[in-house]
Amino acid sequence: MILDGKALAKKTEVELRERVAQLKSRTGQTPILATILVGGDPASATYVKMKGNACRRVGMDSKREFMPEDTTTEQLLDKIDELNQDENVHGILLQHPVPSQINERLCFDQISIKKDVDGVTCHGFGRMSMGEIAYGSATPAGIMRLLSHYDVSIEGKHAVVVGRSPILGKPMAMMLLAANATVTICHSRTKDLKDHVLRADIVVGAVGKPEFIKGEWIKPGAVIVDAGYHPGGVGDVELEKAVNKCSAYTPVPGGVGPMTIALLMEQTVQAAEKSFSD
Ligand code: NAP
């Protein structure tokens, strides 16, 4: 079975367009996602543009903030404060990664919890991990939505997450745990990675290395979730060699990527709805 993120993201956007239209007619206001891009990394610029385009598709506005490569932590903190205080801004997205002179964690954590629609703050992560209401980190939240839409059973399954980054691997593991999977988190110091993956009912590739997880490591009937996207249209999993023995997989592209943006949009709409009802 193909876990078609592109199709589900489209369906999600149709629903969001309706919610945004209702909000506008009720309040006369348009939800706004502020995006901050620091520096000129072309991949980051493309991601920010894609998020702005998605805002337009669902009827929201985006407020695009561009800051130069030599921006300091203090300047970025000030910009975030300004957006936190702006009542017209409902969500804030700080595009990762920022240039190395900036303390990214400090800046992420400056985002108000009410506007943390990309789920990047420690506060939001902690709440989510404890089962409290919080906006989830957009990529793992998109993956969970995709698994749920296709009725992939998680409870009691052994999920192996390869990667432990703050925006992907760690929140992914917590979300799978909350869905009652037994979770193994693997990383660069893990010994015998192959043996861990061989035991997985659900494998999440979140390594950032092309086809790093080999097809022969995949257990027959396993579910493959591949968050990677690399030149040549391959992900973190050697999909070609696993596709015939797995029970379901996310295609690359068209799997995890579109769902990340869909969840970012959905969480921004939620934040706007909440701010108008407060
Ligand atoms: P990251 O911050 O670079 O983290 C990579 C993780 O992989 C780290 O935890 C690292 O372990 C682990 N790792 C590195 N080498 C390894 C090895 N040899 N064996 C096992 N684990 C290893 O990357 P990220 O931001 O989480 O992104 C991961 C992938 O997802 C990338 O391909 C990225 O493009 C993709 N991604 C996609 C979306 C989307 O919207 N589709 C969003 C975010 C990310 P250590 O912690 O020990 O260093």
Side-chain angles (χ1 to χ4, degrees):
M1 175 170 58
I2 299 175
L3 305 173
D4 187 342
K6 197 171 167 191
L8 182 57
K10 257 195 186 143
K11 185 171 175 281
T12 307
E13 283 189 7
V14 170
E15 290 159 9
L16 289 178
R17 206 156 41 228
E18 179 57 31
R19 278 166 68 177
V20 171
Q22 278 177 18
L23 253 188
K24 280 181 178 174
S25 74
R26 193 159 50 80
T27 65
Q29 282 184 278
T30 302
I32 295 181
L33 172 69
T35 60
I36 311 173
L37 175 62
V38 188
D41 176 59
S44 294
T46 303
Y47 293 139
V48 166
K49 197 170 161 201
M50 285 165 71
K51 289 160 188 171
N53 291 343
C55 283
R56 258 198 307 283
R57 286 198 300 274
V58 301
M60 297 197 294
D61 281 341
S62 63
K63 181 179 168 72
R64 300 189 194 190
E65 303 281 356
F66 298 101
M67 302 183 78
E69 189 76 39
D70 61 355
T71 298
T72 63
T73 299
E74 287 66 34
Q75 287 166 332
L76 184 50
L77 289 172
D78 287 348
K79 175 57 72 185
I80 293 168
D81 278 342
E82 183 190 312
L83 296 169
N84 279 339
Q85 280 151 29
D86 186 340
E87 285 185 2
N88 295 317
V89 167
H90 304 99
I92 299 172
L93 171 116
L94 171 59
Q95 185 62 44
H96 161 85
V98 294
S100 57
Q101 76 277 7
I102 294 176
N103 182 335
E104 186 178 76
R105 174 46 48 205
L106 201 61
C107 293
F108 274 153
D109 285 338
Q110 193 80 354
I111 298 172
S112 154
I113 185 91
K114 289 182 177 172
K115 300 188 182 188
D116 179 23
V117 292
D118 201 25
V120 294
T121 61
C122 285
H123 188 178
F125 176 82
R127 287 185 60 84
M128 181 275 290
S129 301
M130 290 297 173
E132 299 295 327
I133 290 170
Y135 299 117
S137 179
T139 302
I143 291 170
M144 293 305 286
R145 178 67 59 80
L146 197 54
L147 294 176
S148 148
H149 178 78
Y150 282 96
D151 285 328
V152 172
S153 140
I154 298 175
E155 184 162 316
K157 296 290 160 63
H158 180 203
V160 174
V161 180
V162 188
R164 58 172 168 181
S165 73
I167 58 156
L168 182 47
K170 279 192 185 122
M172 182 80 260
M174 297 315 290
M175 288 179 197
L176 288 163
L177 182 64
N180 295 320
T182 300
V183 182
T184 299
I185 308 174
C186 299
H187 46 79
S188 65
R189 317 291 164 87
T190 296
K191 290 202 174 86
D192 305 320
L193 178 65
K194 174 183 171 181
D195 295 340
H196 290 289
V197 176
L198 273 168
R199 284 193 294 273
D201 301 310
I202 301 171
V203 182
V204 181
V207 199
K209 294 183 176 172
E211 298 194 319
F212 179 77
I213 298 167
K214 301 301 169 204
E216 66 185 49
W217 301 356
I218 304 296
K219 182 167 91 173
V223 173
I224 300 172
V225 174
D226 194 341
Y229 179 55
H230 308 282
V234 298
D236 287 356
V237 182
E238 199 184 24
L239 209 50
E240 213 173 275
K241 292 199 179 145
V243 86
N244 288 327
K245 61 174 166 173
C246 69
S247 61
Y249 69 96
T250 58
V252 178
V256 173
M259 288 308 297
T260 298
I261 295 186
L263 263 286
L264 175 67
M265 296 301 117
E266 183 175 299
Q267 296 189 152
T268 307
V269 173
Q270 267 174 19
E273 287 170 341
K274 185 139 196 339
S275 87
F276 294 137
S277 69
D278 280 348

